Amino acid sequence: MAKLKPDLVFCNLSRRNPDIKSFGERLNHLACDLSQPTEVALVARNVEAFLERRVPAGRILLINNSGFGTMGPFPEADLAKQVEMIDLNVRAVVHLTGLLLPLLLRRGGAIMNVASTAAFQPTPTMATYGATKAFVLHWSHALNYELRHSGVRALAVCPGTTRTEFFRIAGLKTGNRADALAMSPEEVVMSSLRALGAGRSQVVTGWKNKLAAFASSPVPKSLATRVAGTVLAGYRRLQARS
Ligand SMILES: NC(=O)c1ccc[n+]([C@@H]2O[C@H](COP(=O)([O-])OP(=O)(O)OC[C@H]3O[C@@H](n4cnc5c(N)ncnc54)[C@H](OP(=O)(O)O)[C@@H]3O)[C@@H](O)[C@H]2O)c1
């Protein structure tokens, strides 16, 4: 995005400073733990103050991207982690969007919510994660409809496996055969921006992921659950071997 539009100003909301030198002054880090409701409320005020000071006019793109998953039968690895996942993947998305929506409505712009292909079917061994992403997918579609005459749009981004820190943080090994199917973050971003430009409300990135999402949509949920359970069990076996 920085390469495509040199005049964009970025505000990063996460715990660690991404510290990307090439962005210089254009990247502003507002440290926060979005799984904590009080920190979401505080950082939303800080975003508003920052925009008023540095970029008082122009459209805003809010990207709700922060999230994590775990793999294993519920409630492994531990129940507190499952609840934290809901706080970050679901509650923070709703909370932050709700707090910043008046600003977006005043200035125009868009909301990009990062869901996943895990949103399209129940995901045994990633039960909570898949359910958080199903929420994000449905919520984004409904929000986009509600906002249709407002000058603000919402887009649900549904990537499949992508080469990021996600798997390491989920406690999984990387470098196995399943990684060959993974997309790069750049490919996911380009596909998402094209979908935003085309005015779509949902994008599944990459043709293999599109095929998988399409295949799981018309089948009964019980069958989709068995298929996803078998695929994810295969993935866990690969993990155990590598
Ligand atoms: N990678 C995949 O295969 C894949 C596939 C489908 C969907 N997704 C989704 O894509 C999104 C981005 O994940 P990623 O793949 O880029 O994984 P990642 O490399 O682990 O990045 C996760 C991001 O979330 C932030 N984050 C985590 N916990 C946070 C917290 N408590 N408060 C604020 N920020 C927090 C992290 O920053 P800090 O650690 O600095 O806080 C980091 O910027 C997630 O929503 C994920 O579910 C990923």
Side-chain angles (χ1 to χ4, degrees):
M1 289 173 74
K3 282 182 203 151
L4 290 173
K5 258 192 155 278
D7 56 338
L8 278 185
V9 174
F10 297 86
C11 222
N12 176 69
L13 278 56
S14 69
R15 294 164 303 179
R16 293 166 301 168
N17 189 340
D19 202 19
I20 308 169
K21 296 276 181 291
S22 59
F23 277 66
E25 295 272 291
R26 296 167 60 202
L27 178 61
N28 298 275
H29 174 62
L30 299 177
C32 60
D33 180 345
L34 293 172
S35 67
Q36 304 296 321
T38 49
E39 295 205 21
V40 176
L42 181 66
V43 84
R45 284 200 295 277
N46 289 341
V47 168
E48 286 184 306
F50 166 79
L51 288 174
E52 209 173 297
R53 201 173 60 246
R54 276 281 311 275
V55 221
R59 288 186 296 170
I60 298 167
L61 173 59
L62 168 63
I63 307 177
N64 287 306
N65 173 64
S66 288
F68 74 90
T70 57
M71 191 176 235
F74 180 82
E76 281 183 17
D78 72 72
L79 186 56
K81 206 74 192 153
Q82 305 286 318
V83 175
E84 185 189 331
M85 197 191 299
I86 297 169
D87 283 338
L88 181 63
N89 297 11
V90 174
R91 197 194 41 69
V93 174
V94 175
H95 195 179
L96 194 62
T97 305
L99 291 170
L100 294 178
L101 191 57
L103 187 66
L104 267 90
L105 289 170
R106 273 201 307 281
R107 292 176 54 157
I111 301 156
M112 228 190 230
N113 292 325
V114 181
S116 166
T117 48
F120 292 102
Q121 67 288 298
T123 49
T125 68
M126 298 187 88
T128 308
Y129 179 71
T132 65
K133 295 303 180 179
F135 177 96
V136 173
L137 176 65
H138 285 208
W139 188 72
S140 303
H141 274 287
L143 187 65
N144 186 56
Y145 186 82
E146 289 178 9
L147 292 171
R148 68 195 178 285
H149 303 304
S150 71
V152 177
R153 300 194 357 252
L155 169 71
V157 175
C158 301
T161 310
T162 309
R163 283 177 225 108
T164 65
E165 291 295 290
F166 181 86
F167 290 92
R168 191 184 58 75
I169 287 167
L172 302 167
K173 296 169 207 145
T174 50
N176 58 40
R177 268 189 295 145
D179 290 349
L181 299 173
M183 290 175 74
S184 71
E186 288 78 7
E187 288 173 307
V188 173
V189 172
M190 283 311 294
S191 174
S192 307
L193 291 177
R194 272 195 290 270
L196 193 67
R200 296 180 41 203
S201 56
Q202 172 187 309
V203 58
V204 179
T205 61
W207 68 267
K208 289 172 202 151
N209 296 324
K210 280 189 177 61
L211 202 64
F214 177 76
S216 66
S217 299
V219 297
K221 283 276 181 284
S222 55
L223 176 59
T225 308
R226 281 203 297 281
V227 172
T230 309
V231 170
L232 287 165
Y235 185 77
R236 285 195 93 201
R237 276 197 298 279
L238 266 178
Q239 281 281 318
R241 265 192 254 136
S242 59

